[in-house]
Amino acid sequence: MHATLISSADAYTSCRPVPGRGTVVSVVRTVWHLVMGLTLLTVVAPAAVAQRTTRCNPDERIRGVSFDGSPNFDVLTLATSIVTHEPGFVTRVFKIGTPPCVDTLEVRRDALRIAILHRQAGWFQASVLPLITRSKDGVKVRFVTTPGREAMVDSVMVKGLPLLPEGRRPYETSLRALVGKRFDRTHVDTTVAAVVTRLRNAGFARAGMPKSHIEIDSASARVRLTLDFATGPALRIGQVHVDVRPVTVGRPRVDSSDVARLVAIDPGDRFSASALLDAQRALYRSEAFRLVLMDTVTAAAFADSVIDLRIGVAEARTRAARVGLGWATQDCIRAQGRINDRGFLGVGRRVELSMRASKLGLGAPIDFAPALCSQALRDDPFSQRVNYYVGTTLTNTRLFGLPVVPLVSVYSERRGEPYAFLRETSIGALAEVSRQFSTRTAGTAGFQYENGKTTTDPVVSCTRFGLCRPEELVLSAFGRGVGIISTSVSHDRTNDLTNPSRGWRMRGEVRVGETVSELVSTVRFQRTTGEFAGFARFLGGIVGARIQAAGAFAPGAELVDGTPLIPQQERLFVGGQNSVRGYQQNLLGAVDYVVTAVQAVPNADEFEVVPTAGGRAVPRGGTAMLVGNLEWRRGFRFIAEQVQLAAFLDAGTLWETRSDRFAWNNVRYTPGLGLRLVTALGPFRVDVGYRPYGERAGRALYFAPASNDGAGIYCASPRVADVPGDYSSVFSCPASFTPTASKSILSRLVFHFGLGQAF
């Protein structure tokens, strides 16, 4: 075995600053763009340039590629920036396939690519030495990075920016903030681009990237940056020209006035790049056009103050139908179909007929293959009937010319929440408006009315609503009407909606409603939910954290069992694949148990559960919740770049605000491991949560056989010696029953499958 050092110094010596204090290097923008182009080329090079995989001896085949010395980039980032790749997991372990052959010329080029990557990030004197270790089994390639000193921004001089009125943040504020930070050219360019965007939104249509002059003192590793902007005058919109290309030549279905209505930019408006982008989005959002082009043209007569707008659109076919079939942990087999007309009553108005069905294979009357569904779903009493949704939705791209999107929907549905309730809506309506305040901030407001019924477990009906006798349960099934006003706002600064690796997002929602039924007078309630999540690079992977908090309130509502009467679908539940993953869906928190193995209590019309009996858990829900998630995930090259391993710790608690308070000793912590497979549809996720806690003690309730006197539900909690208790009522029934459960570790594992990250 011997090692060969491949010198690539000649390839990148010219990129180094000349040593010596006061050395000045002027960087021309054209040269920098060539460097950026080379960097982009190296990123896509692995997909475009294939390594030789044949016609070489076994001792010339690559067995491994490693990296050392990088102060900023993880192994996966470095691996994707070069062409030389090690064989995959299947080839290494199962000997399926042939490892690639080593290409010493490409290895030297890879060293240059890694060096440029570091210099772009602020290490101007970075050098990379490729080391090839040969043996009879093959070749191992090692890239050793010597980064040198970190270049810091010493000063930023800005020229040519217009002044703003007092009280508004100056344009150069973000540029001045670069002082004292590492000279990362990507970060600098992003900051400059944000300033240019702000200028264009303020009317400076001709504002472009500034001329830059960079001075590098290689002895002190300090950078002096000069930016010279040329903004030109502030402009206003002149004429708006619209050109429509129809699907069928000579038979246009869209008039230019319809396009102008959707664009909502009129002559005399101040030029704004974001307004043009919003207009283009509005045209695409109408789905009436397959192509939208927007361009500005200098007005000949008023070149210094007016700019014309030219819009070209190509019509699209507006009618479509889609069907889909899938499987999910909480839905089993599900099917959906959509028929839509994107030109209903004019351009921008869309009507859609949607049909969805889930719990197929398990729910009656289509219960042909229950074995295809998860065991948790088969045990859920609210998954024994097919869930469905049938509705019609009408949307428009604007509302009376305002930049809001209206939506009106009429529907009928049946949907179940595992172990919690089954909601059947005979008729429902939703009216909603939404607005995209910026590329990252959105808000909605709406009103929803439903007329239907919510079926709960008889235990919940009894303990939560006081309906314990059979005739009361029958009467409660007649249903009620519910009206809800809601509003929500979200702000997302992550870099990816489905698989974020950095940034943060936050969301809040408020719901206020009223419900009326034959049994209960008017009940007013409200529910507030807040969520914050953040993501960052950590230990070569991605760490994400999320916190959720929610509360449900019903001021003045009647109390049953110490809690206010709130519709079951508005109560809070915790546990599941997107909550605390050490628990099944909705099963964290207080529970009651339905038992069948009981024995009569001597000299009393009461029952007591058999000590060795089990019980079916029924979640009681709560009016306040707090959930926190911490997850670290990382891809490992020795397996495959598309596979990520994850470790997580979830924590959560649920309580009743009227009868209890938040307590740290009630918080449940569940660790776990997971696997992520990156696909075109998003990451496919498998999580295994571990619940280190035993079964929670709760009330044992027994359903007596129906009799002429209307027998209902009885307290069957075990009698505890020397501990007094009132067992005559389900409301005073002590929570002293703990079902018999297995003590094995496997019984404490909870498996979850899903598409998309947990948060």
Side-chain angles (χ1 to χ4, degrees):
M1 179 185 297
H2 65 280
T4 304
L5 183 66
I6 302 178
S7 175
S8 57
D10 294 340
Y12 54 76
T13 300
S14 60
C15 298
R16 297 177 179 173
V18 179
R21 190 170 185 82
T23 303
V24 177
V25 179
S26 298
V27 181
V28 182
R29 288 187 54 80
T30 304
V31 176
W32 177 252
H33 288 160
L34 291 176
V35 175
M36 290 289 290
L38 177 60
T39 304
L40 291 175
L41 180 62
T42 63
V43 173
V44 300
V49 181
Q51 290 177 264
R52 294 185 297 123
T53 58
T54 58
R55 298 180 183 177
C56 68
N57 297 325
D59 60 351
E60 293 182 352
R61 297 196 178 276
I62 298 176
R63 298 298 177 182
V65 179
S66 60
F67 306 88
D68 288 325
S70 176
N72 188 62
F73 301 103
D74 58 38
V75 173
L76 286 178
T77 302
L78 295 174
T80 55
S81 67
I82 63 175
V83 173
T84 304
H85 277 171
E86 63 185 7
F89 178 76
V90 175
T91 301
R92 294 195 312 272
V93 176
F94 301 102
K95 309 302 180 182
I96 299 176
T98 305
C101 298
V102 65
D103 186 337
T104 56
L105 176 60
E106 202 62 61
V107 170
R108 288 195 293 268
R109 291 172 178 168
D110 286 338
L112 175 59
R113 294 181 178 105
I114 297 174
I116 292 176
L117 188 67
H118 284 81
R119 293 173 188 178
Q120 179 186 351
W123 287 272
F124 286 101
Q125 295 180 329
S127 61
V128 180
L129 297 180
L131 183 65
I132 293 182
T133 304
R134 300 180 183 272
S135 67
K136 63 179 182 179
D137 295 329
V139 173
K140 292 184 178 180
V141 182
R142 182 173 169 227
F143 294 96
V144 181
T145 302
T146 304
R149 296 185 64 180
E150 188 178 35
M152 309 298 291
V153 178
D154 184 66
S155 64
V156 178
M157 181 177 294
V158 183
K159 302 177 181 178
L161 288 178
L163 298 177
L164 286 172
E166 187 176 353
R168 296 188 59 187
R169 183 170 61 92
Y171 289 110
E172 65 269 17
T173 300
S174 58
L175 298 173
R176 304 287 186 193
L178 296 172
V179 176
K181 297 181 179 179
R182 173 164 45 89
F183 185 65
D184 184 334
R185 188 59 194 241
T186 301
H187 178 61
V188 171
D189 284 350
T190 301
T191 304
V192 171
V195 173
V196 173
T197 299
R198 191 180 172 196
L199 287 168
R200 290 175 176 171
N201 289 338
F204 297 96
R206 298 192 179 97
M209 297 298 287
K211 296 180 180 178
S212 61
H213 183 78
I214 304 171
E215 297 179 355
I216 305 172
D217 189 329
S218 59
S220 61
R222 310 298 289 183
V223 177
R224 290 182 288 275
L225 178 62
T226 301
L227 300 172
D228 189 0
F229 289 83
T231 63
L235 302 177
R236 292 190 173 275
I237 299 295
Q239 297 182 1
V240 179
H241 307 276
V242 178
D243 179 32
V244 179
R245 179 173 296 181
V247 174
T248 304
V249 178
R251 297 175 57 188
R253 291 183 290 104
V254 177
D255 190 76
S256 59
S257 61
D258 293 327
V259 177
R261 174 178 57 84
L262 295 179
V263 168
I265 296 178
D266 300 320
D269 290 349
R270 186 184 66 179
F271 176 86
S272 172
S274 63
L276 297 184
L277 184 59
D278 290 341
Q280 190 175 37
R281 286 175 180 160
L283 292 173
Y284 273 122
R285 192 165 50 237
S286 71
E287 299 187 41
F289 309 101
R290 65 179 186 273
L291 180 65
V292 177
L293 299 176
M294 305 186 74
D295 196 8
T296 55
V297 181
T298 301
F302 307 96
D304 293 336
S305 60
V306 173
I307 190 168
D308 292 343
L309 179 62
R310 180 176 296 167
I311 304 172
V313 296
E315 292 181 358
R317 301 187 184 277
T318 57
R319 296 177 181 175
R322 294 183 180 180
V323 294
L325 186 69
W327 183 92
T329 306
Q330 300 299 330
D331 289 337
C332 197
I333 302 175
R334 60 186 181 188
Q336 62 179 352
R338 292 187 300 172
I339 302 174
N340 55 63
D341 184 351
R342 297 182 291 269
F344 181 73
L345 299 179
V347 178
R349 299 180 181 93
R350 168 177 171 164
V351 65
E352 177 179 283
L353 174 63
S354 301
M355 294 164 285
R356 298 192 299 267
S358 61
K359 312 295 174 66
L360 301 177
L362 175 64
I366 313 178
D367 50 350
F368 61 92
L372 294 177
C373 307
S374 65
Q375 183 62 48
L377 207 62
R378 294 199 294 267
D379 294 339
D380 176 27
F382 302 112
S383 296
Q384 307 309 309
R385 299 174 66 188
V386 169
N387 287 195
Y388 67 86
Y389 173 93
V390 178
T392 300
T393 302
L394 177 64
T395 60
N396 198 354
T397 54
R398 290 183 180 272
L399 179 63
F400 303 124
L402 300 175
V404 296
V405 178
L407 177 148
V408 177
S409 181
V410 179
Y411 59 91
S412 176
E413 70 171 343
R414 179 195 295 148
R415 62 181 176 89
E417 185 67 22
Y419 300 100
F421 62 85
L422 179 68
R423 177 65 178 171
E424 295 180 271
T425 302
S426 56
I427 185 66
L430 171 67
E432 183 180 83
V433 293
S434 60
R435 178 175 180 179
Q436 194 76 28
F437 296 99
S438 68
T439 55
R440 298 183 179 273
T441 305
T444 63
F447 172 76
Q448 182 179 18
Y449 175 80
E450 291 184 350
N451 187 284
K453 62 180 180 180
T454 301
T455 304
T456 63
D457 194 290
V459 170
V460 175
S461 298
C462 179
T463 59
R464 184 63 55 211
F465 301 105
L467 309 176
C468 300
R469 303 180 67 83
E471 63 270 20
E472 293 173 329
L473 293 175
V474 172
L475 185 59
S476 68
F478 280 97
R480 62 176 64 184
V482 180
I484 298 174
I485 298 175
S486 64
T487 182
S488 66
V489 62
S490 63
H491 185 72
D492 193 329
R493 297 192 65 84
T494 59
N495 63 329
D496 193 308
L497 292 177
T498 60
N499 192 21
S501 61
R502 64 177 182 273
W504 56 272
R505 63 169 177 256
M506 60 188 302
R507 184 180 185 276
E509 181 184 26
V510 176
R511 294 165 60 88
V512 179
E514 181 177 292
T515 179
V516 180
S517 74
E518 296 88 345
L519 298 175
V520 183
S521 60
T522 300
V523 175
R524 295 183 177 88
F525 59 89
Q526 64 185 54
R527 191 174 76 176
T528 304
T529 306
E531 176 183 331
F532 178 85
F535 306 88
R537 292 280 184 178
F538 181 70
L539 294 180
I542 301 167
V543 62
R546 179 183 68 171
I547 186 169
Q548 289 179 303
F553 313 94
E558 180 183 351
L559 297 182
V560 176
D561 199 17
T563 61
L565 279 175
I566 298 177
Q568 187 73 355
Q569 67 269 22
E570 296 298 327
R571 290 179 62 80
L572 304 173
F573 297 89
V574 176
Q577 63 179 355
N578 294 320
S579 180
V580 180
R581 285 164 279 186
Y583 287 84
Q584 292 287 2
Q585 194 76 16
N586 301 326
L587 288 184
L588 187 153
V591 295
D592 293 327
Y593 295 97
V594 177
V595 297
T596 56
V598 297
Q599 57 190 2
V601 177
N603 303 321
D605 187 17
E606 297 177 1
F607 300 91
E608 181 181 8
V609 65
V610 175
T612 59
R616 175 171 61 85
V618 179
R620 301 179 61 186
T623 55
M625 58 156 279
L626 184 64
V627 172
N629 308 93
L630 181 65
E631 180 175 290
W632 177 79
R633 57 181 182 267
R634 177 182 177 179
F636 291 88
R637 292 174 55 245
F638 69 87
I639 300 178
E641 295 181 2
Q642 292 78 20
V643 176
Q644 294 179 333
L645 300 180
F648 59 84
L649 176 65
D650 299 332
T653 183
L654 181 71
W655 71 97
E656 295 283 355
T657 54
R658 289 290 188 95
S659 58
D660 202 356
R661 293 183 179 181
F662 171 80
W664 284 108
N665 59 350
N666 290 332
V667 178
R668 295 293 179 260
Y669 303 88
T670 63
L673 299 174
L675 186 69
R676 311 286 185 267
L677 177 62
V678 180
T679 69
L681 299 177
F684 175 74
R685 173 168 57 96
V686 179
D687 285 331
V688 182
Y690 173 70
R691 176 172 52 85
Y693 309 95
E695 299 292 342
R696 179 165 178 164
R699 293 179 289 196
L701 302 178
Y702 171 63
F703 284 72
S707 60
N708 294 332
D709 59 355
I713 304 175
Y714 289 86
C715 173
S717 293
R719 274 58 173 171
V720 181
D722 301 327
V723 177
D726 183 3
Y727 299 88
S728 61
S729 170
V730 295
F731 303 113
S732 58
C733 186
S736 57
F737 173 67
T738 302
T740 303
S742 173
K743 296 182 179 180
S744 66
I745 294 180
L746 290 178
S747 66
R748 296 176 180 266
L749 299 181
V750 181
F751 292 82
H752 301 285
F753 304 89
L755 188 63
Q757 300 292 359
F759 61 93

